[in-house]
Amino acid sequence: MDLAETNSGERMQWAAITGVIATVSVFAIAQGLSYPLLSFILQRQGVSPAMIGLSAAMTPVGFIVSSPHIPALARRFGAGRTALTCAALSAIVLALIGWTQNVYLWFPLRFLIGVVTNPLYVLSETWVIALAPPARRGRVMGIYSTVISAGFAAGPLCLLAVGTEGWPPFLVGIAAFVFCGACLTLVLRRLPKFDETGHRVSVVGFMPMAWLLLSAVVVAAGFEQAVLALLPVYGTHYGLAEARMSALLSVMIAGNIAMQVPLGLLAERLTARLVRFICVSLTVLGCVLLPVLIETPLIWPCVFIWGAVSYGIYTMSIIELGERFTGSALVAGNAAFSLMWGVGGIAVPPLAGGAMDIFGADGLPITLGAICLALAVTTIMRRRMV
């Protein structure tokens, strides 16, 4: 193979990576838009906060239920066909949600949108991991994590432009899913195939192979969801204004968005496993410092770094996943990651909320610090056993 062919192959590879990341970014915008949109609509209908929370929980339940079936779907129908079908079904289900406007009908529909969007997300992430050159996987996955976070953050901003009433916000979400399918179609021929006929790995079969990675995903998901849900509640204990707590959350999300590429570059110089341990350790330190710094100006850089390293746990985990697994094991691993993300997002916030009922506001940093410390200790013990 001559130099021209090599350069052409590299350009095609980077074009495929760009296309898949563009797909995921639009998907993230659609998801980031739908959560607050549906909550606003239910609030206007006079639905109780508890019912709104239960309704929102249907989507991650859909993630959990669908995750074990993704590897089999990719093998049977092909990863590309599965992802394109899911993009189309996501648009249809979102249109049905906009058409019904009924809290009780939204329960099964929000469950369905979790079921049909999950394969699109899992397969797109798997393609990015598989396409990323090993020497540059850290920066590629850092860019990927940044784009995902920015997309979710941009979703609510779309509501400022189109409002939350009538069909316009739903049409934005529907158009986003259609655009996802269009982006995928453009790069589909350049994407790796995972529907191999040889050794097959299921989600359940994958779990013993990388239980520590999956534990890290549970911690990262639980931390993010608990902080988003309960940090405003934590601030009221100190008499902090809602505007200040909202600003703190925004700074935390900004840290998440801004620092994934630098963390990815650091993983290329060190290792993803070592950087993940550093991220876990700094997240524990953030939990210790939160009650000390919450009423001081130092809380601003603290939550910026906290946001970066807490989500960095997940970024480092997907980098290590790509380093260790290929083919059907990589698909099963990504599906298992999605399942564990749903488990962490559902399990940790109620646990932290219950701790706040028992210990007061400090129950939040105590709970989050404890689960992160447990992950750090387990990582050390695992390292010594190897």
Side-chain angles (χ1 to χ4, degrees):
M1 182 180 292
D2 61 27
L3 182 60
E5 289 178 329
T6 301
N7 290 338
S8 177
E10 288 181 356
R11 284 196 298 271
M12 289 177 64
Q13 184 179 21
W14 285 108
I17 291 172
T18 302
V20 177
I21 290 180
T23 299
V24 177
S25 68
V26 179
F27 163 84
I29 291 171
Q31 288 287 87
L33 174 146
S34 64
Y35 278 99
L37 170 63
L38 301 186
S39 294
F40 285 135
I41 292 171
L42 292 176
Q43 274 188 315
R44 285 200 298 268
Q45 293 177 358
V47 176
S48 69
M51 186 67 79
I52 292 173
L54 284 173
S55 177
M58 290 299 100
T59 299
V61 171
F63 291 166
I64 292 172
V65 170
S66 64
S67 291
H69 305 289
I70 295 173
L73 287 170
R75 285 195 301 268
R76 182 168 182 179
F77 301 107
R81 188 179 301 172
T82 300
L84 286 174
T85 302
C86 287
L89 290 175
S90 298
I92 292 169
V93 176
L94 188 57
L96 288 173
I97 290 174
W99 180 55
T100 53
Q101 299 280 312
N102 181 291
V103 63
Y104 298 106
L105 290 176
W106 279 7
F107 273 84
L109 288 173
R110 295 185 82 167
F111 170 79
L112 278 177
I113 206 164
V115 169
V116 297
T117 58
N118 193 34
L120 176 62
Y121 171 76
V122 167
L123 292 172
S124 296
E125 183 167 281
T126 305
W127 279 318
V128 175
I129 295 172
L131 286 165
R136 299 182 178 179
R137 184 173 284 123
R139 73 192 71 184
V140 171
M141 299 317 298
I143 293 169
Y144 168 82
S145 293
T146 297
V147 167
I148 284 279
S149 300
F152 276 112
L157 296 178
C158 292
L159 297 179
L160 295 177
V162 299
T164 61
E165 297 185 4
W167 274 102
F170 287 99
L171 291 176
V172 171
I174 292 165
F177 283 123
V178 172
F179 190 68
C180 275
C183 289
L184 268 182
T185 302
L186 290 174
V187 298
L188 204 55
R189 292 183 180 179
R190 301 175 183 176
L191 299 179
K193 309 294 183 184
F194 301 116
D195 47 336
E196 53 194 60
T197 56
H199 181 60
R200 298 177 178 179
V201 181
S202 67
V203 170
V204 174
F206 177 84
M207 289 182 176
M209 299 164 61
W211 58 269
L212 187 59
L213 279 180
L214 296 175
S215 300
V217 173
V218 172
V219 170
F223 183 94
E224 179 181 84
Q225 297 301 313
V227 167
L228 289 174
L230 297 172
L231 191 61
V233 180
Y234 179 86
T236 60
H237 174 80
Y238 292 91
L240 301 178
E242 289 184 5
R244 178 182 171 89
M245 297 312 299
S246 296
L248 281 173
L249 281 176
S250 297
V251 169
M252 189 170 188
I253 294 168
N256 173 355
I257 294 171
M259 295 302 294
Q260 297 314 303
V261 173
L263 287 173
L265 290 169
L266 186 61
E268 292 176 8
R269 294 180 64 87
L270 304 176
T271 64
R273 183 178 300 179
L274 177 57
V275 177
R276 188 181 70 241
F277 178 76
I278 294 170
C279 287
V280 173
S281 302
L282 290 176
T283 304
V284 174
L285 179 61
C287 293
V288 173
L289 293 177
L290 180 65
V292 178
L293 302 179
I294 188 66
E295 297 181 281
T296 73
L298 290 175
I299 191 61
W300 300 98
C302 177
V303 296
F304 182 87
I305 297 170
W306 214 29
V309 296
S310 61
Y311 195 76
I313 297 170
Y314 181 77
T315 301
M316 296 306 111
S317 297
I318 58 176
I319 292 171
E320 187 176 342
L321 179 71
E323 292 172 349
R324 292 173 54 186
F325 301 99
T326 59
S328 65
L330 183 58
V331 179
N334 265 105
F337 270 34
S338 179
L339 191 154
M340 291 298 107
W341 186 272
V343 169
I346 289 174
V348 176
L351 180 66
M356 292 176 78
D357 287 340
I358 297 171
F359 301 109
D362 287 340
L364 178 63
I366 288 171
T367 303
L368 298 180
I371 63 172
C372 292
L373 183 61
L375 178 61
V377 171
T378 306
T379 302
I380 294 170
M381 292 176 64
R382 167 89 173 165
R383 182 67 176 170
R384 288 179 176 176
M385 291 170 60
V386 174

